[in-house]
Amino acid sequence: MSTTMKTADGTTTIEAVEDMPAIRMSRDFRATPAQLVRAHTDKDLFVQWVGPNGSNMTIDHWDARTGGSWRHHGDLDGEEYAFRGCFHTVRDDRLVQTFTYEGFPDSVALETMWFEDLGEGRTRLHVHSLYDTYEGRDGMLSSGMEVGVNDGYAKLDDLLEAGAV
Amino acid sequence: MSTTMKTADGTTTIEAVEDMPAIRMSRDFRATPAQLVRAHTDKDLFVQWVGPNGSNMTIDHWDARTGGSWRHHGDLDGEEYAFRGCFHTVRDDRLVQTFTYEGFPDSVALETMWFEDLGEGRTRLHVHSLYDTYEGRDGMLSSGMEVGVNDGYAKLDDLLEAGAV
């Protein structure tokens, strides 16, 4: 299963990994690796772009360091949905964190992000999300996740364009 | 690949999961689920049984709650080896944590433990360790991990027998 989607400012590739319950994503940004790390670890930046348009995100807890943890929730069309996890690794070149949608509290994903410097102020974000079951992975793929992903990354493009990161 | 080993007090089953980079273990104890949770979350108990015999474990950091983190190291035959991770979930019936051997700092496993009450004071511990690559999983399986696992669980048997948990 592989899906490629155009967004206003870029293309996000979202694909299932064949031999493990994982999803692999990549997306190019007009940003340096340091800017993308900041966009993912600075709570005041992160809250401005994560999630689908209109999701009204709130960060409940945020301690973006190795061994820290996080929780945030959104409010979309009157429905609240919350996510939480811990930060396994926060480094200049790599982020590793756990991820649970609280609607399925016993499911968990392990998310690894790294930042490929393409030169000329462009960086390719790589995200590898490993689920503990194939059902969990396939449920995420069929949940409409690409809307949140693409809306979010487009908002991040706008923040970068505006010099806010 | 499946290995079953006898220990003094029980049998640990350690097997690779076929269609994902995971290892599944199970082991019966003469203990209640609450005692096994305590043995895994109380730092003063944990340090007494984890690791192979003679490994001289030290806990460097320990915050066993949802969103907390941990680090410990051992000293075996003059060689120091350290592990670290974060606690994604700490509940009465379930522990979920990340796990990195610092010798391979970019590798990470997601470890889920649950506790099956068998009645009559016996509990089956289930451990599901999901690795981010098949190489990482197979490296762990061929590392001699079963020595540490079996030595550790035998020490835990002794602590339970002695009424220390």
Side-chain angles (χ1 to χ4, degrees):
Chain A
M1 195 190 318
S2 175
T3 322
T4 302
M5 282 149 295
K6 284 278 178 197
T7 67
D9 299 277
T11 301
T12 305
T13 304
I14 303 177
E15 55 182 9
V17 180
E18 240 177 62
D19 62 348
M20 65 174 83
I23 299 171
R24 191 183 283 141
M25 300 201 295
S26 64
R27 172 50 151 87
D28 293 358
F29 289 91
R30 290 183 192 280
T32 63
Q35 284 178 302
L36 287 190
V37 170
R38 210 146 58 224
H40 284 84
T41 54
D42 181 309
K43 125 189 195 176
D44 298 325
L45 286 173
F46 187 73
V47 73
Q48 291 181 64
W49 67 264
V50 74
N53 292 335
S55 55
N56 192 21
M57 299 299 297
T58 304
I59 294 189
D60 305 295
H61 172 67
W62 192 260
D63 184 13
R65 54 173 184 86
T66 294
S69 58
W70 61 273
R71 184 182 191 268
H72 58 70
H73 71 274
D75 185 334
L76 192 60
D77 305 326
E79 204 168 334
E80 186 174 300
Y81 54 100
F83 304 91
R84 70 169 185 88
C86 57
F87 289 108
H88 177 73
T89 298
V90 176
R91 286 194 334 223
D92 284 351
D93 61 336
R94 196 176 189 86
L95 302 177
V96 183
Q97 63 186 55
T98 58
F99 179 97
T100 283
Y101 164 55
E102 292 189 357
F104 296 105
D106 282 352
S107 292
V108 55
L110 181 67
E111 204 164 86
T112 300
M113 275 171 263
W114 65 102
F115 308 91
E116 182 187 353
D117 195 339
L118 303 174
E120 301 180 351
R122 294 189 68 89
T123 299
R124 184 163 297 159
L125 168 69
H126 295 273
V127 184
H128 187 263
S129 299
L130 180 60
Y131 290 79
D132 55 352
T133 63
Y134 280 93
E135 293 70 22
R137 188 272 306 269
D138 295 340
M140 179 58 77
L141 275 175
S142 63
S143 72
M145 66 172 279
E146 66 277 10
V147 176
V149 166
N150 283 311
D151 283 1
Y153 289 157
K155 284 182 278 182
L156 178 50
D157 278 335
D158 293 343
L159 287 172
L160 288 161
E161 178 80 23
V165 184
Chain B
M1 195 186 323
S2 176
T3 322
T4 302
M5 282 149 296
K6 282 278 178 197
T7 68
D9 298 278
T11 301
T12 304
T13 305
I14 303 178
E15 56 182 10
V17 180
E18 239 177 64
D19 63 346
M20 65 174 83
I23 298 171
R24 192 183 284 141
M25 299 200 296
S26 64
R27 170 58 149 83
D28 293 359
F29 290 90
R30 288 182 193 279
T32 63
Q35 285 178 300
L36 287 189
V37 170
R38 210 146 59 224
H40 283 85
T41 55
D42 181 308
K43 125 190 194 176
D44 298 325
L45 286 173
F46 187 72
V47 73
Q48 292 181 62
W49 66 264
V50 73
N53 293 334
S55 54
N56 192 21
M57 300 300 297
T58 303
I59 294 188
D60 306 296
H61 172 68
W62 192 261
D63 184 14
R65 55 174 183 85
T66 293
S69 58
W70 61 274
R71 182 182 192 268
H72 58 70
H73 71 274
D75 185 334
L76 193 60
D77 304 327
E79 205 170 334
E80 187 175 300
Y81 54 99
F83 304 91
R84 69 169 187 86
C86 56
F87 289 108
H88 177 74
T89 298
V90 176
R91 286 194 334 223
D92 283 352
D93 62 336
R94 196 176 188 87
L95 301 176
V96 184
Q97 62 187 55
T98 59
F99 179 97
T100 283
Y101 164 54
E102 292 188 358
F104 296 105
D106 283 353
S107 292
V108 55
L110 181 67
E111 203 163 89
T112 299
M113 273 171 267
W114 65 102
F115 308 91
E116 184 187 352
D117 195 339
L118 302 175
E120 301 179 354
R122 295 189 67 89
T123 299
R124 183 163 298 159
L125 169 69
H126 296 272
V127 184
H128 187 264
S129 299
L130 180 60
Y131 289 79
D132 53 354
T133 63
Y134 280 93
E135 292 72 20
R137 188 274 304 268
D138 294 340
M140 179 57 78
L141 275 175
S142 62
S143 71
M145 67 172 278
E146 67 277 9
V147 176
V149 165
N150 282 311
D151 282 1
Y153 289 158
K155 283 182 278 181
L156 178 50
D157 277 335
D158 292 344
L159 286 171
L160 288 161
E161 178 81 21
V165 183

